[in-house]
Structure formats: structure tokens, C-alpha cells
Amino acid sequence: MIYQGKTIGVDYLDQSAGIVEFRFDAVGESVNKFDKTTNQEFIDAVTALEQATDIKGLIVTSAKKVFIAGADITEFVDYFKKDPSELEAWLLDINDTFNRFEDLPFPKVAAVNGAALGGGCEMTLVCEYRVAGTSAQIGLPETKLGIFPGFGGSVRTPRLLGIDNALEAIATGKAYKPADALKMGLVDAVVADDALLASATDLVKKCIAGELDWQAKRAEKLQPVKLNQLEQAMAFNAAKGMIFAKANPKQYPAVAIAVESIEKHANLNRDDAIKIEAKGFAKAATTPQAAALVGLFLNDQAVKKLAKAHSQNAHDISQAAVLGAGIMGGGIAYQAATKGLPIIMKDIKGEQLELGMSEASKLLAKEVERGKSTPAKMGETLSRIRPTLNYGDFGTTDIVIEAVVENPAVKEAVLAEVESLTKDDAILASNTSTISITRLAKALKRPENFVGMHFFNPVHRMPLVEVIRGEKTSDAAVATTVALAQKMGKTPIVVNDCPGFLVNRVLFPYFGAFDLLIKDGADFVQIDKIMEKFGWPMGPAYLLDVVGMDTGVHAAKVMAEGFPDRMKPDYKGATELMYEHQRLGQKNGVGFYKYETDKKGKPKKLADDATYELLKAVQSGSQAFDEQEVIDRMMIAFCNETVRCLEDNIVASASEADMAMIMGVGFPPFRGGPCRYIDQIGVANYVALCDKYAHLGKAYQAPEKLRTMAQQGETFY
């Protein structure tokens, strides 16, 4: 044994041939990662290797299913709060160990099984060769956290892969499958998982025998990029055009800083280039976007952990059913079937069943077109969906998801009917988006088995499912519904019952703020542009057009009834006006915008003069608003309601609230969620902003929770 620690072990694999195995195996952990313990052991292991005299070759392996997941993000948070110079010094210390490992006087091969991401990928880059098993994934996802590779990844990739491939890998943060990694040069060979060690050993032996020039492979990484100035300029300019068209540098500055750093160090040797990388990393890591995106990652982990806890003692689910076949029912059926769960799809109309099956078929056909599925798999998946006009097999279902029209009387009747036909322990879940679960439960004999399960449209794309606990909902019903959401590949967040639950309750004051801005004379197109620039995927007018004005007006009435002090306006709003004129949005081709079909068959929005004429009826003149005022008025209404949901215990934590808004309505991820947004403004500053706009109504007045937090100097995170 050359070295043995808690996470790294180095021993002879073949002593007679001088081949050693450098093995990552974190004791008591499910994955390997670069944490404080591993970083220290890496230093000690490299020192032991430097002192050994009979080593001729080395193979890096992992005893886990994952090669190395990357750096320990939980530890990173503390480093990111330090002064940039301290962060730089810390990175240079770690890089010194990576460099010493790279400089060992013998060839090294990484045998990559499972995921090698971030620091894990960078570990493979300090080897001369990389062999990937078919289970492997390899990539540099750091820009998704608001940072970029800091263990030499931005230095070695352009020298190994070329500038264009390196910038694509870093800017997109993509995890590459073995075939794609081989194509771009991120790995040198792909073999079956069970042949991985033998293949890596064979490669090392060829290096030792002089059949492969491993010194030349290493030298590439130590020298400047092999392109002249003109070629470099062309490569960087082309890459920047593509990258910045997708990633706004103001929203995701890490991408721009990474490109700038690579451009600066392209003509330097490795050691000097790594100093540039460390400086750029420290700059990216101390941005508010990095704090928000790292926080988002940690929140995601926390939400998944909570879901796991909620799903304890769940009933087994081997057969599901969905009531209501249209687009929503078809989407739910598709989602269940693609995850291997048989599902019955029931409706009272044959044409609706056809619509539901058509929706599922269309989504599966797209998967086949993209090469992500095969016709055989498509047929197998469709066979798991059983369309029916009757309740024949409902006696065997473990859970029934009701997805009929958003009308309490209809839902109550359908739920009561299906309850009488299912087994006593079957769970009934309503996909209502606004109607109280406690109210709907009154129509049932077993209200403890009833729960809300709110999917977002389109079901196949939206990751969030709200699981709503009514007054009489049992823990078992919640657990089973959470387990089902997980089985369907969704992220469930458990919330308590109220009109609109969490996401829609927060969204409607935002729509109310939009209506009030229009009333005060703002231009709906200007509002959309400002909020899209702020980071929303679409502005409020466009979002209402996509949701449908009829759906919006119906939900707004439910919200007004539930929260009249801040969601029941004393004037007719623009949204209601559009609805009255049958301008329903995309569904009938005209809403705030008018819609034409583009070459790909997708609706394309155009500003409509008729909208401006109509809006005069609900406006008190016309005026141009300052960009910041539009942002403040829209975001205060949104953020205040989020905080009120925390006050009312509708949602248990800021992390769950933030994740729900990001996954459910597209809150800008680089801002981290409404609670993180308040933190970054400063709670006291935010309360002062609320006071500035308090005259506009209750929706703008700071919740008591925020005033208390401001007085006590508290933050959400």
C-alpha cells in the first residue's frame, strides 16, 4: 500500500509491471467529491507518489457508481463569502496539487465510470489519457452555478479540445455521453463498463512500452494554445456570437468571465494560465448571480431531501388512473407511461380520449424524431395507457388523478362518483389549480384519502408538482402522492390548502400589479420587455395570452374571493377587458397580442393596434414608466405574497417557496427566487421600497414578517 486515507487509496495493481491504482472511495458516502478531506488526502497521496521510485504507470479509478461528482458545493459557499484574494489563494493551493499530479514522471490513465463532473472531469484532464465506460457522463457544469472550472479545467480544455469545443463545454455546462465526449476529444476511448479497468491497464502498458507518446499528450496541456493570433481571434469571435446569443452576460456573468479568462491565458503556459483562471473564478464566485445559483442548487437538494422524507410510508403504486382526457389528462398519462407506470385514462367523450392519446403520441413521436426513443419503445409506452369510457377496472387502481374541468360542482360530482368505485385505501388526487382541497373533500366519504396534485402545463416540461394537504388529508395520502410525483420524474413540494395554493396564489398579485400599471397608463409591450430583460421567460401580457384569458379571469375570481383585501380590485382590469372582447390569447389567435403561425408552425406574437384602442377604456391616460418602477411594482406584489404564504404556513420554508416559483412560473434562476431576491436587495431596503409603494394597496404593503426581520437584522438565508 503506497497511501491509504478515508477517501483516496493508492496501491499496486500489478507490482511486477510497476502499475498502481489511484482509487477514489469515500468511506460512508454514496459518491466521491472534492471536499476538505479529499483535498488534503490528494496532497498526501501525491506526496507519497512523488517519493515512490518503482512506479511506471498509474490508473485513476472510482469504487463508486459515480466517478467523482465534483467539488463539495456546501463547502464552497463559505469560500465564496471570502475576499477574492483569499479565494484565489485557496484555488492556487488546490491547483498546485493537480499540477504536481499531472507532472508525475509516468503516464496516467483515468478509467471513468458513471459521472465525472466539474472537479471530477478536471481530475481526468490531469491524466494523459481518458477511457470512459458506457455508463459514463463527463462535463464541466460550473457555469450553471454561476462560476466556471477552477481546478484547471478552463486551461486544459482549450489546449486539448480546441477553443471552440472548450468554450461550448464550459458555457453550456453540458454533461456529455461517452460517444459525444469521444467525438470532441474529451475522452480517448469508450468501452463496456466491465472492460474499463482492463482497457485502461492495456493503455498504460502501451505507454510504458513506448507504443504511445504520452509525453507529447502531456506537453499539449503545458504549452500555449496551438493557434496563431488570427486563428484565435476567429475562433473566439465565432464562439462568443453563439454563446452570448444564448446566455445574457448580465444575467449569467460567469460565462462571459470564463470566455474572457480563456482569451487572456490562451498564449500562456499552464502555470501562468492557471493564475488567470483563479482570478477569473474568484471574480465570478463573488457575484450575486453565483450566490443565487449556488443557493438554488442547495435548495434543490433540500427540496429533494424533504420529498424523500414526505414519501416515507407511501402505499405501493402499481396502477394509476386519470379522469379527464384532454391535453392535461393526456400529458399526465404520457408522463406516467414514460416512467413505466400503467395508467387508465377515462373520459365521457370518445373524442376527448382521442385527443388525450393524440397528445401522448405526439410527444412520443418527437422523442423518436430526436433520436431519444425508438418506434418500438414508443409502442411499448403507448400500450401502458388504457383509454376507456367506463369505470370497469377502477376497482384495482391505487391512485386516481382527477383532471376534469376547473369547476367545483363538476369536480365534486366526479370525485364522489369515482370514490364509490375504488378500493377503500385508494388515493384520490385532484389536479385543480385553484379550488380548495378542503372544500372539495366535503363531497367525499373518505376525505383522509383525498389530496391535491397540481401539475403545471405543459406536463412533460414543467418539473414541479404541488401536493396540497387539505384539513383532513392523511399523512399516508400525502406520502403516496409525493411518491407518485417522484415516480413520474417530477419534483413535488408539499403545501397547505388555500385558494390558489402556493404558486397561483403568488402569481395573481403579479397579474394584479400588471393590470394596475395598465390602468395607470403603462404600455403592455414595454412592461413585457422590461420583465423579460429582468429575466422572466415571458412578460405578464404574453404569459396571460399563453395561459388563456378565460383561465386567468376564472382563477382571478377564485383568488378575489379568497383574498379580497389585496386581490379584488375596485376597477375593471385589462385582463377582464380582453376576456369580455373574446380576446383569449393564443387559443383563439388574439389576446393582448395577435398571433400568426411561423414557418415551424408555432404561434408568433405581434403587437396589435386594436389592443391599444381597447385599453383606453380602462386607462387614465397614457404615460411612460421608468424601468425600475415597473420592476419594483411587479416584483413587490409577487414577493410580498410569497412571504405571506410563509407567514400563513402554506409553504414550510424559503427554500421550498423559491424552488416552487422557479420551477412553477419561471422566476429568473440567476436571481435565486423571491426570498433570495429580497435578501440580495436587503430586507430593510426592501421594506423601505414597500413603504414607497404602500399607497397602491395592500398587495404592496410589507408583510409583518418582513418588518420583524428588518428590525432584527434577519435574512431568509
Side-chain angles (χ1 to χ4, degrees):
M1 179 65 72
I2 297 167
Y3 174 81
Q4 184 59 57
K6 290 181 179 177
T7 65
I8 295 172
V10 186
D11 200 2
Y12 287 96
L13 195 63
D14 182 342
Q15 193 156 5
S16 62
I19 298 171
V20 299
E21 181 181 18
F22 192 100
R23 187 177 176 89
F24 285 87
D25 188 9
V27 176
E29 299 288 341
S30 58
V31 296
N32 297 314
K33 56 192 171 188
F34 280 107
D35 53 15
K36 286 176 184 173
T37 302
T38 306
N39 289 338
Q40 183 55 53
E41 289 189 6
F42 192 20
I43 295 169
D44 298 339
V46 170
T47 301
L49 286 165
E50 288 170 336
Q51 291 167 356
T53 55
D54 55 352
I55 300 172
K56 293 179 181 175
L58 178 148
I59 298 168
V60 181
T61 67
S62 163
K64 309 289 186 190
K65 286 183 179 177
V66 165
F67 181 74
I68 304 170
D72 188 333
I73 301 301
T74 57
E75 291 181 1
F76 263 38
V77 175
D78 291 333
Y79 285 109
F80 289 5
K81 292 172 185 170
K82 295 179 185 290
D83 184 82
S85 60
E86 281 186 78
L87 189 48
E88 264 182 74
W90 172 70
L91 279 170
L92 290 173
D93 278 347
I94 292 175
N95 272 292
D96 179 60
T97 313
F98 275 85
N99 293 351
R100 284 168 58 201
F101 182 88
E102 185 168 46
D103 294 341
L104 289 166
F106 43 77
K108 301 170 296 300
V109 175
V112 186
N113 63 312
L117 301 172
C121 176
E122 288 169 300
M123 184 67 210
T124 74
L125 295 173
V126 290
C127 298
E128 281 68 54
Y129 293 95
R130 292 158 297 287
V131 181
T134 48
S135 70
Q137 266 192 326
I138 188 163
L140 298 162
E142 287 90 343
T143 51
K144 293 180 179 177
L145 297 175
I147 50 178
F148 68 96
F151 297 168
S154 84
V155 171
R156 293 182 178 93
T157 48
R159 287 154 177 79
L160 280 172
L161 315 180
I163 288 168
D164 50 354
N165 282 338
L167 290 178
E168 182 197 314
I170 290 167
T172 62
K174 185 178 173 183
Y176 293 93
K177 289 181 180 177
D180 295 328
L182 179 65
K183 197 173 174 183
M184 73 190 301
L186 204 46
V187 299
D188 301 288
V190 177
V191 297
D193 286 340
D194 58 6
L196 190 55
L197 188 59
S199 178
T201 305
D202 181 57
L203 200 51
V204 164
K205 285 180 177 176
K206 284 179 177 171
C207 291
I208 295 167
E211 293 175 41
L212 294 170
D213 191 353
W214 60 271
Q215 289 98 335
K217 289 282 284 184
R218 178 185 297 180
E220 279 183 351
K221 297 180 286 174
L222 306 180
Q223 298 164 0
V225 171
K226 289 178 181 174
L227 287 179
N228 63 40
Q229 291 296 333
L230 179 60
E231 289 168 330
Q232 282 185 37
M234 288 171 67
F236 278 111
N237 288 338
K240 282 179 193 173
M242 290 176 67
I243 289 166
F244 297 142
K246 292 179 181 176
N248 184 328
K250 288 182 180 177
Q251 296 177 352
Y252 295 92
V255 176
I257 296 168
V259 174
E260 180 190 355
S261 298
I262 294 169
E263 205 163 6
K264 278 183 185 174
H265 67 55
N267 297 306
L268 302 176
N269 62 38
R270 179 196 67 189
D271 293 359
D272 289 335
I274 279 172
K275 290 174 188 171
I276 300 289
E277 178 188 83
K279 194 175 281 294
F281 183 100
K283 183 180 176 184
T286 49
T287 60
Q289 289 88 345
L293 289 165
V294 169
L296 187 58
F297 173 83
L298 297 175
N299 284 351
D300 185 51
Q301 300 297 304
V303 163
K304 283 173 180 164
K305 197 173 177 181
L306 282 166
K308 193 175 179 182
H310 279 302
S311 64
Q312 297 295 319
N313 305 316
H315 296 174
D316 285 337
I317 304 162
S318 55
Q319 176 71 64
V322 61
L323 292 174
I327 298 291
M328 204 70 187
I332 292 169
Y334 160 85
Q335 194 65 32
T338 55
K339 300 301 178 183
L341 179 65
I343 188 163
I344 300 167
M345 184 168 61
K346 154 84 169 69
D347 206 284
I348 55 171
K349 294 179 181 175
E351 57 267 31
Q352 284 297 103
L353 289 175
E354 284 176 23
L355 179 62
M357 289 305 291
S358 169
E359 177 70 7
S361 299
K362 186 173 69 180
L363 293 170
L364 287 163
K366 281 182 183 173
E367 293 289 294
V368 174
E369 273 175 43
R370 292 180 189 132
K372 292 184 178 179
S373 186
T374 63
K377 281 184 185 174
M378 177 178 170
E380 191 184 328
T381 302
L382 280 174
S383 70
R384 292 193 194 105
I385 305 173
R386 191 148 32 112
T388 181
L389 291 167
N390 58 61
Y391 286 110
D393 294 323
F394 271 61
T396 63
T397 54
D398 303 302
I399 188 163
V400 179
I401 304 162
E402 168 274 306
V404 301
V405 63
E406 190 75 351
N407 178 308
V410 174
K411 285 186 182 290
E412 284 165 4
V414 167
L415 287 164
E417 182 180 29
V418 77
E419 184 187 42
S420 67
L421 300 165
T422 52
K423 53 190 180 183
D424 287 353
D425 63 348
I427 305 300
L428 297 187
S430 177
N431 180 48
T432 176
S433 55
T434 55
I435 304 165
S436 164
I437 296 304
T438 302
R439 173 186 172 172
L440 291 175
K442 287 175 182 171
L444 301 173
K445 291 174 184 171
R446 299 188 291 273
E448 68 278 6
N449 288 352
F450 181 58
V451 65
M453 190 181 192
H454 178 209
F455 290 86
F456 291 78
N457 197 20
V459 175
H460 67 287
R461 280 205 195 129
M462 301 297 278
L464 178 67
V465 168
E466 283 181 303
V467 175
I468 305 107
R469 186 193 291 273
E471 276 178 20
K472 295 187 178 177
T473 304
S474 67
D475 289 344
V478 169
T480 305
T481 310
V482 166
L484 175 63
Q486 290 172 308
K487 197 167 187 174
M488 291 173 74
K490 298 300 180 186
T491 301
I493 290 180
V494 178
V495 300
N496 285 320
D497 190 28
C498 70
F501 320 126
L502 173 60
V503 174
N504 279 331
R505 174 173 160 178
V506 171
L507 184 60
F508 275 84
Y510 177 80
F511 285 148
F514 167 72
D515 268 352
L516 186 56
L517 274 166
I518 297 294
K519 176 181 177 288
D520 290 346
D523 177 353
F524 73 94
V525 174
Q526 185 204 17
I527 296 170
D528 272 7
K529 283 178 179 172
I530 289 169
M531 297 317 292
E532 284 163 12
K533 186 178 170 186
F534 178 81
W536 286 93
M538 54 184 78
Y542 188 24
L543 179 57
L544 280 160
D545 275 2
V546 170
V547 168
M549 229 62 66
D550 49 346
T551 304
V553 167
H554 168 76
K557 284 177 181 169
V558 175
M559 306 311 293
E561 189 182 321
F563 310 102
D565 61 336
R566 58 191 184 276
M567 297 194 209
K568 189 174 185 179
D570 57 1
Y571 60 89
K572 183 186 286 185
T575 310
E576 194 175 346
L577 180 76
M578 293 294 119
Y579 174 65
E580 283 179 359
H581 285 81
Q582 284 300 295
R583 297 173 72 94
L584 304 183
Q586 284 188 355
K587 63 176 70 176
N588 72 344
V590 62
F592 283 99
Y593 297 92
K594 60 183 177 184
Y595 293 88
E596 292 178 358
T597 305
D598 66 14
K599 290 176 184 176
K600 293 181 181 177
K602 291 183 178 178
K604 178 184 172 185
K605 68 180 169 74
L606 300 164
D608 188 5
D609 290 341
T611 306
Y612 288 107
E613 275 305 311
L614 276 174
L615 289 175
K616 285 177 184 176
V618 294
Q619 285 184 311
S620 52
S622 139
Q623 60 173 303
F625 280 83
D626 173 74
E627 187 174 304
Q628 193 58 48
E629 185 176 353
V630 170
I631 291 168
D632 290 344
R633 285 177 58 160
M634 293 296 297
M635 294 314 301
I636 287 170
F638 188 95
C639 294
N640 280 356
E641 200 60 37
T642 306
V643 176
R644 288 192 176 98
C645 286
L646 285 164
E647 275 183 332
D648 296 346
N649 196 32
I650 299 303
V651 64
S653 65
S655 56
E656 290 167 282
D658 279 353
M659 288 304 294
M661 296 313 144
I662 284 162
M663 293 188 292
V665 288
F667 191 98
F670 65 91
R671 297 188 186 277
C675 297
R676 176 83 59 185
Y677 178 68
I678 292 170
D679 269 6
Q680 290 197 335
I681 289 173
V683 179
N685 292 338
Y686 179 83
V687 168
L689 203 57
C690 291
D691 291 342
K692 178 182 173 183
Y693 291 104
H695 65 281
L696 294 175
K698 182 72 183 283
Y700 302 85
Q701 292 162 17
E704 205 52 48
K705 180 180 176 70
L706 284 180
R707 292 198 181 279
T708 304
M709 286 173 68
Q711 285 161 10
Q712 295 176 359
E714 293 174 352
T715 53
F716 288 106
Y717 294 100

